[in-house]
Amino acid sequence: MVVKNIAVLFSGSGSNLQAILEKVHGKIFKGIKINVALLICNNPDAKGIERAKKFGLDTVVINHKDYASREEFDKAVVDEINKYSIDLTILAGFMRILTPIFTDNIKAINLHPSILPLFKGAHAITDSYHSDMQIGGVSVHWVSSELDAGEIIAQKTFARKTKTLQEWEKKIHKIEHKLLPKTIIKILTKDKNA
Ligand code: GAR
């Protein structure tokens, strides 16, 4: 059986990591088994670390505060990923701006809580909520050297209606928990080079 290994990078709550562990990890799609082989987190207090433990998985903590520059942090992350035979790296709420040390060396996708190219950056949920856009959404894109600007792979939108910020955020996460696992499966079962 063909096994494809993924690495998941996260920084906080890890609800998307949990969705990947529930819907993708250890499962077989079109004869291909997808395995979460590596978890990396830059925040030692992230709730996602506990979530992963419930699935029997340890997380490698690489604290960005221990590194003098973004490049040195990125090198540590890249070196860790390269220890394993990783087919695809997933940024699931990984709240770090990445340098070419990472983007030139790692094949990765990123989850972003807006309809890109709108509302790039770390505050996409509140920025999109406070805009006059009548739709919100979620994007998954290839990671490139430019922040939140790589080629878009998947998007899903929803109508604003009369949602509070809390409802807006909840709706985004609900979509993310389906769209990210679906996109991972699609890439790994379609792209022969993945
Ligand atoms: C998600 O909404 C994800 O789209 C966002 O962080 C959240 C992580 O939630 N990512 C970004 O904003 C990246 N710029 P989670 O830790 O519960 O998966």
Side-chain angles (χ1 to χ4, degrees), residues 9 72 78 82 107 141 144:
L9 278 53
E72 283 169 66
V78 168
N82 285 339
K107 181 177 183 178
H141 64 92
S144 70

Side-chain angles (χ1 to χ4, degrees), residues 23-73:
K23 296 176 184 175
V24 179
H25 179 51
K27 297 197 162 45
I28 298 164
F29 308 91
K30 294 189 190 168
I32 295 169
K33 186 172 182 181
I34 302 179
N35 183 35
V36 174
L38 174 65
L39 297 176
I40 296 177
C41 182
N42 63 304
N43 166 15
D45 302 319
K47 190 177 162 194
I49 297 171
E50 292 308 313
R51 291 190 199 255
K53 274 199 188 127
K54 292 195 179 131
F55 289 81
L57 295 176
D58 287 331
T59 299
V60 177
V61 175
I62 303 177
N63 190 340
H64 60 278
K65 291 180 181 161
D66 294 340
Y67 296 84
S69 67
R70 286 192 187 278
E71 285 77 9
E72 283 169 66
F73 169 76

Side-chain angles (χ1 to χ4, degrees), residues 1 4 7 9 21 53-55 59-60 63 74 113 133 147 160 164 168 175 179 186 192:
M1 158 144 6
K4 293 209 174 170
L9 278 53
L21 293 175
K53 274 199 188 127
K54 292 195 179 131
F55 289 81
T59 299
V60 177
N63 190 340
D74 283 5
M133 292 278 294
L147 180 69
R160 179 178 286 270
T164 62
W168 183 261
I175 292 173
L179 191 68
K186 204 168 161 186
K192 288 193 177 62

Side-chain angles (χ1 to χ4, degrees), residues 12-17 51 92-95 110-113 121-122 125 148 172-173 176:
S13 161
S15 70
N16 284 287
L17 163 64
R51 291 190 199 255
F94 190 59
M95 305 305 277
N110 179 46
L111 173 69
H112 188 77
I125 295 179
D148 297 333
I172 285 174
H173 291 316
E176 288 183 330

Side-chain angles (χ1 to χ4, degrees), residues 129-160:
Y129 176 76
H130 291 298
S131 78
D132 57 5
M133 292 278 294
Q134 291 305 300
I135 52 172
V138 169
S139 305
V140 181
H141 64 92
W142 290 107
V143 173
S144 70
S145 56
E146 203 185 325
L147 180 69
D148 297 333
E151 186 188 337
I152 295 164
I153 308 163
Q155 275 179 323
K156 184 136 178 70
T157 60
F158 61 95
R160 179 178 286 270

Side-chain angles (χ1 to χ4, degrees), residues 23-24 29 34 181-190:
K23 296 176 184 175
V24 179
F29 308 91
I34 302 179
K182 204 171 133 187
T183 307
I184 295 167
I185 294 163
K186 204 168 161 186
I187 292 171
L188 292 176
T189 56
K190 196 167 85 178

